[in-house]
Amino acid sequence: MVRKRKTKAEPAPAPSWWDTAPPGIRHGLCAGFLVALALVFYGPALFSGKDLVGGDIRHWSAVAESMLQHRENTDEEPLWATNVFAGMPGYVISPPPRVPQADTAVGWLRLIAWPVSHFIFLLLGTYALVYYLWKNNLAAVLSACAFGLTTYLPIILVAGHNTKFVALCFAPWLLLAFVNVLRKPSLVSSLLFAATLAINLRAGHIQITYYIAFTAFVWWLAEGVAVLRSRDGRAWLHSSGLLFLGAAVGLLMAAELYLPSWEYKAFSIRGGDGGGLGWGYAMSWSQGPAELLTLLIAEAFGGAALYWGPKPPTGGPHYVGGIVLLLSILAVWKVRTTTVRALAIGAALMILFSLGRHLEVLNGVMFRYFPLFDAFRVPETWLIMVAFVLAVLGGAGLTYVLAQARKSQGRHALHRITIGFLIGILVLILGRDVFFSFTRVGEEERVQQLVAAELGRPRLDSEVIQVSEELIEERLKSPREEVFVETGVRTLVVLVFATSLLLLFSGGKVAAWVMQVGLILIVLVDLFGIGRRYFNEDFLSRTGTPVVATHDVDQFIEEEYHREGGAGAFRVLSLEEFDQTRNARPSFHHESLGGYSGAKLQIYQDFLDNLLYSPLTGFPKSKILDMMNVRYVIVPRPFPGMDLAFRGEMSGLLVLENRNHLPRAFVVGEVEVIEDPEQTWERLTEASFDPGRLVFLANSLEAKVVPVDSNSVVSVEPLEYGPRAMVWQVATDAPRLLVVSEVYYPAGWTAWVDGNEVPIHRANYLLRAVTVPEGEHTIELRFNPRSVAAGQLMSRTSTAAVYLGLIAVLAGGWVRRRVRAWAERR
């Protein structure tokens, strides 16, 4: 029998000052460092004398202006927006004040310290989650820095996606509450989960909450599979029940925001007749498979200005850095726990989801069958949750290094993965011309067309091709290649420093705390430097600069509003930009036929796609403008059929007048019933259609109406026009229809004739009509959706129950402990 030689165990290193420091000191130092980081990184938004006003904030400010003014002037909550897309539910733009919850105090901080107010919670939440999972302070700091400084966060802030940013800032807290229920199931943990879920939902970006919920769902399933293997599922079933209870209560706490929105969804492009977004629209920003390299090499696909990937123009890459990727892959490889497996599976699935149309075999099935998957667009957004999961796994990888890197097996694993990373990046840099084209699809043809037009020659002419190739090489490929090499070498250098530090630690040359602090600093230098390319003073607006621009043409039209009696007098169509549905600026000043919304009413989208513009000329159809009460059209150049009313010398814009526009409400006496929408569109676009005489209804009328002729007595006098009520005094010598040029929306609008409720009919596909008896009558349209009142009641009741329940349970525990201590002293 051969005896194995006993290897002499390496002496355990002496505890460092960090190891012996009290837990409170360690947590305090880590939290202080993260707060300082938040102040430094977003300092330009606080201390530069400039304001952070992204593009989407400008859009929101414009479409919400009429509601904000009404709220300020009347103390009445405006639930309908009158100045965008000929009217739409306003609670999806600017919701009513919400029931106070824990996030209300953070909202107060936002007024003086945005975005630091919320970014601190993101950093501290990530720190708390990672420490809860791995019990390592410095690994938690590294994860917080990795997630907090990933490039996507400053990019969305600059773009003005504030609700998305807020939801992401609360994401770590929601997952922390979730895992706390899994590991320590109790009524308190369930109520905390409910409160945290409500806070995330109240951020107002359900897409991010959906992604967090998906991550938690995969985690929950993994825990369930692990329980099945152990054949003891009682604890898992108990925690699952508490999770479902918390989820249900959390939804009730946010009902004031989502019950009306859920009702609206059925009428919007995100949930209309098709049940969700169209595949092409939803998949527009699908991440290219090769573009996933930006997680490792920040500007491998050109960043923002030089972007050459397969997506439409983008604000920048998703970058987490080589250190985080290295540590997370090490964790997936070596840390054999259910939590790591769950996070790894979730990250892998979300990476596949981010590919969108490039992986239709998976995403097509998910889009058709998985709940709510078809309600969201921009698949690349999944990558922000991937970045978060990678940051958490990075903490697990660093914890593994501390425990195993000085052992033989751990040292070998560390050597292999670091060498693999370094060789892989070096190969990509040296072989870049083999692996990458540095041009977008179709870019060569577009350049050739421009050159051909400039030279006056055919596109395939030899000189055109030669000049095009030179331009592409000089102005596109070479700058993109330089950016690729620069950020690739940057990643390589960062990894060389990081892996050197890791190897020095594994060889016993540096202390654990030195290695961890060194990695944190390297991650900071790397991510901070890349993040600053997408967020600095250049992206901020000078304090006092108007959020929404005012042109000379706006001033002219506003004067005309006052002459005509103010609100409800007429509408404006602005064609100052190619797509008026992406330009919200006119809605700030006027009751606009355009605007901006990611969830327009489906009925209005149909109007834009099928009725407003002539397919032959591209100009708006005059009779449709008449029907929609459009008096003025803002254009950069004139077009036939309208008179010039004003020329803006400063803006260079023109105001054209449509003299035949109908008033906001008008009486007709001829009705034709057409149930099929496409037939209605066809009739509305016929040359013989007269919107002031004839109306098309989707359903038959019970009462007969009499045509209007030259001998008829008809008058319509506006009495009130606002977001909650529209009132007219109507006189007619026979039963007729009052057609109101407001978008038809059955979920909340009611009609009243002399105080008696009557039906609202859908007229001309998207407008409203009310039957008016013979004589003089007061016609009222009121907007008071039951879903708003019901949602507020649900939120108030559930919020009170949860917070009072938490207070009662915690106070009861405190009393019991005091009584027990008193009894022991006796």
Side-chain angles (χ1 to χ4, degrees), residues 185-326:
S186 67
L187 180 59
V188 170
S189 63
S190 180
L191 292 177
L192 286 172
F193 176 65
T196 311
L197 174 60
I199 288 171
N200 198 276
L201 286 167
R202 282 157 57 98
H205 205 288
I206 188 63
Q207 184 172 1
I208 295 300
T209 308
Y210 181 82
Y211 292 170
I212 302 167
F214 181 84
T215 306
F217 175 69
V218 173
W219 198 337
W220 173 77
L221 283 179
E223 293 284 347
V225 171
V227 163
L228 288 175
R229 290 178 178 177
S230 68
R231 298 184 180 182
D232 182 14
R234 286 173 297 178
W236 182 76
L237 289 174
H238 182 210
S239 61
S240 297
L242 290 170
L243 279 172
F244 291 136
L245 173 64
V249 174
L251 288 171
L252 287 174
M253 294 173 71
E256 59 183 333
L257 186 63
Y258 287 98
L259 190 62
S261 296
W262 184 260
E263 179 182 64
Y264 173 74
K265 178 179 180 293
F267 300 95
S268 77
I269 60 174
R270 296 186 179 242
D273 295 337
L277 296 176
W279 169 261
Y281 179 68
M283 297 292 135
S284 296
W285 270 268
S286 297
Q287 186 82 350
E291 200 177 359
L292 293 171
L293 182 60
T294 60
L295 292 168
L296 177 64
I297 300 176
E299 295 179 344
F301 279 75
L306 295 172
Y307 177 71
W308 58 276
K311 299 193 297 274
T314 182
H318 291 267
Y319 178 63
V320 298
I323 298 175
V324 175
L325 283 173
L326 185 152

Side-chain angles (χ1 to χ4, degrees), residues 85 551 553-554 557 571-587 590 592-595 604 607-608 612-614 617-622 625 630 632-640 642 652-656:
F85 296 135
H551 298 326
V553 292
D554 301 318
I557 294 173
R571 286 203 181 89
V572 174
L573 171 63
S574 176
L575 301 178
E576 59 194 81
E577 293 187 7
F578 177 75
D579 184 359
Q580 88 277 8
T581 66
R582 303 286 300 179
N583 180 21
R585 191 203 67 79
S587 295
H590 319 299
S592 175
L593 207 60
Y604 199 79
F607 165 75
L608 295 173
L612 180 56
Y613 296 103
S614 167
T617 65
F619 296 141
K621 300 171 185 173
S622 59
L625 294 181
V630 175
Y632 292 117
V633 180
I634 302 173
V635 291
R637 60 189 62 86
F639 59 79
M642 288 193 183
L653 296 171
L654 308 176
V655 177
L656 305 182

Side-chain angles (χ1 to χ4, degrees), residues 406-644:
R406 287 181 174 174
K407 299 177 182 179
S408 176
Q409 185 179 5
R411 201 158 40 232
H412 290 159
L414 187 59
H415 289 175
R416 290 173 186 173
I417 197 168
T418 53
I419 291 172
F421 258 76
L422 295 174
I423 291 176
I425 294 173
L426 193 59
V427 168
L428 287 173
I429 294 173
L430 296 178
R432 57 189 180 276
D433 293 329
V434 176
F435 298 117
F436 307 106
S437 67
F438 298 104
T439 56
R440 291 174 67 97
V441 174
E443 197 167 52
E444 183 177 351
E445 289 78 7
R446 288 193 294 273
V447 173
Q448 287 175 356
Q449 290 171 354
L450 292 173
V451 173
E454 181 71 21
L455 298 180
R457 298 190 179 188
R459 184 175 71 83
L460 298 180
D461 179 83
S462 58
E463 185 178 353
V464 169
I465 293 175
Q466 179 181 352
V467 173
S468 300
E469 289 177 349
E470 291 174 355
L471 285 173
I472 290 171
E473 182 65 34
E474 178 184 348
R475 299 186 183 181
L476 298 176
K477 292 182 67 174
S478 291
R480 289 165 176 169
E481 190 171 354
E482 289 176 8
V483 168
F484 176 87
V485 172
E486 184 264 323
T487 51
V489 170
R490 178 194 182 92
T491 297
L492 187 63
V493 170
V494 164
L495 277 173
V496 166
F497 278 106
T499 54
S500 299
L501 199 56
L502 288 168
L503 296 176
L504 285 172
F505 168 74
S506 68
K509 304 298 183 182
V510 298
W513 75 270
V514 173
M515 180 271 294
Q516 293 179 91
V517 170
L519 285 182
I520 291 170
L521 293 177
I522 295 172
V523 167
L524 276 181
V525 170
D526 180 28
L527 295 182
F528 198 105
I530 294 295
R532 269 285 183 258
R533 300 182 182 186
Y534 299 95
F535 178 85
N536 54 59
E537 287 190 32
D538 294 338
F539 292 96
L540 306 180
S541 300
R542 190 184 306 277
T543 299
T545 301
V547 175
V548 180
T550 300
H551 298 326
D552 43 16
V553 292
D554 301 318
Q555 296 169 350
F556 167 77
I557 294 173
E558 285 172 6
E559 291 173 0
E560 294 299 311
Y561 265 122
H562 293 308
R563 290 195 185 99
E564 295 292 326
F570 57 81
R571 286 203 181 89
V572 174
L573 171 63
S574 176
L575 301 178
E576 59 194 81
E577 293 187 7
F578 177 75
D579 184 359
Q580 88 277 8
T581 66
R582 303 286 300 179
N583 180 21
R585 191 203 67 79
S587 295
F588 184 88
H589 301 284
H590 319 299
E591 292 167 20
S592 175
L593 207 60
Y596 178 79
S597 172
K600 293 188 290 294
L601 283 165
Q602 182 63 57
I603 197 173
Y604 199 79
Q605 186 64 54
D606 294 339
F607 165 75
L608 295 173
D609 294 340
N610 301 284
L611 292 174
L612 180 56
Y613 296 103
S614 167
L616 297 177
T617 65
F619 296 141
K621 300 171 185 173
S622 59
K623 290 186 178 180
I624 299 300
L625 294 181
D626 297 344
M627 179 183 81
M628 298 304 296
N629 182 226
V630 175
R631 179 179 178 182
Y632 292 117
V633 180
I634 302 173
V635 291
R637 60 189 62 86
F639 59 79
M642 288 193 183
D643 301 326
L644 177 64

Side-chain angles (χ1 to χ4, degrees), residues 606 610-611 676-685 765:
D606 294 339
N610 301 284
L611 292 174
D676 181 62
E678 293 189 9
Q679 291 183 15
T680 305
W681 302 339
E682 184 177 346
R683 292 298 307 278
L684 286 169
T685 55
Y765 186 71

Side-chain angles (χ1 to χ4, degrees), residues 757-776:
E757 186 173 0
V758 297
I760 298 178
H761 305 282
R762 193 170 79 171
N764 294 343
Y765 186 71
L766 82 159
L767 302 182
R768 311 174 199 171
V770 176
T771 304
V772 182
E774 178 184 352
E776 187 171 324

